């Protein structure tokens, strides 16, 4: 069984951090993941930063207007394709090897991890 992760990143006007956040995920050695960025009608360059990633593992959801923090979290997670969700703030960094370690821990739990 392959453990897959949906990494959900809610964002509002954090273009200055978002590229580094996404790069920290895309540089993971563990390959089984997707990234969903839910942009909450940012007025900065956030959308351009996400689009510049040019990586098929990154999906962008654009809200036409700001729907608030909690509903934006819901938008990000509702689009997740995989059963293991990781919420990552748009100014957080994922340590190298983090996804591999998460997968190792979940794999060691067998059916209890589902």
């Amino acid at each position: 069984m392959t453990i897959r992760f949906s990494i959900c990143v809610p964002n509002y006007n954090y273009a200055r951090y978002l590229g580094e956040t996404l790069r920290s995920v895309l540089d993971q050695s563990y390959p089984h993941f997707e990234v969903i960025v839910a942009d909450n009608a940012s007025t900065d360059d956030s959308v351009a930063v996400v689009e510049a990633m040019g990586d098929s593992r990154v999906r962008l959801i654009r809200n036409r207007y700001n729907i608030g923090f909690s509903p934006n979290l819901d938008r990000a997670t509702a689009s997740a394709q995989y059963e293991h969700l990781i919420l990552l703030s748009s100014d957080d960094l994922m340590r190298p090897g983090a996804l591999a370690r998460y997968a190792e821990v979940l794999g060691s739990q067998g059916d209890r991890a589902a």
Side-chain angles (χ1 to χ4, degrees):
M1 177 180 96
T2 300
I3 295 172
R4 299 179 189 277
F5 298 98
S6 291
I7 300 162
C8 303
V9 183
N11 179 70
Y12 177 69
N13 284 344
Y14 268 67
R16 65 189 174 277
Y17 304 114
L18 190 55
E20 190 176 0
T21 295
L22 295 176
R23 181 55 43 210
S24 77
V25 177
L26 295 173
D27 287 347
Q28 292 291 307
S29 59
Y30 190 81
H32 306 291
F33 67 88
E34 66 174 348
V35 181
I36 303 159
V37 178
D39 185 75
N40 209 5
S42 291
T43 58
D44 65 0
D45 291 330
S46 292
V47 169
V49 168
V50 176
E51 290 173 340
M53 289 287 122
D55 193 302
S56 63
R57 296 172 292 179
V58 178
R59 279 190 290 136
L60 174 63
I61 299 168
R62 295 177 68 179
N63 297 331
R64 290 181 297 190
Y65 57 90
N66 190 312
I67 61 175
F69 180 73
S70 182
N72 197 41
L73 285 175
D74 292 342
R75 293 268 335 254
T77 58
S79 298
Q81 295 179 354
Y82 303 131
E83 64 184 27
H84 299 289
L85 301 179
I86 296 174
L87 293 175
L88 193 64
S89 293
S90 50
D91 62 348
D92 285 346
L93 298 176
M94 187 170 277
R95 290 183 181 266
L99 286 182
R101 181 68 179 131
Y102 294 153
E104 180 184 320
V105 169
L106 287 168
S108 72
Q109 299 300 306
D111 292 339
R112 293 178 298 193

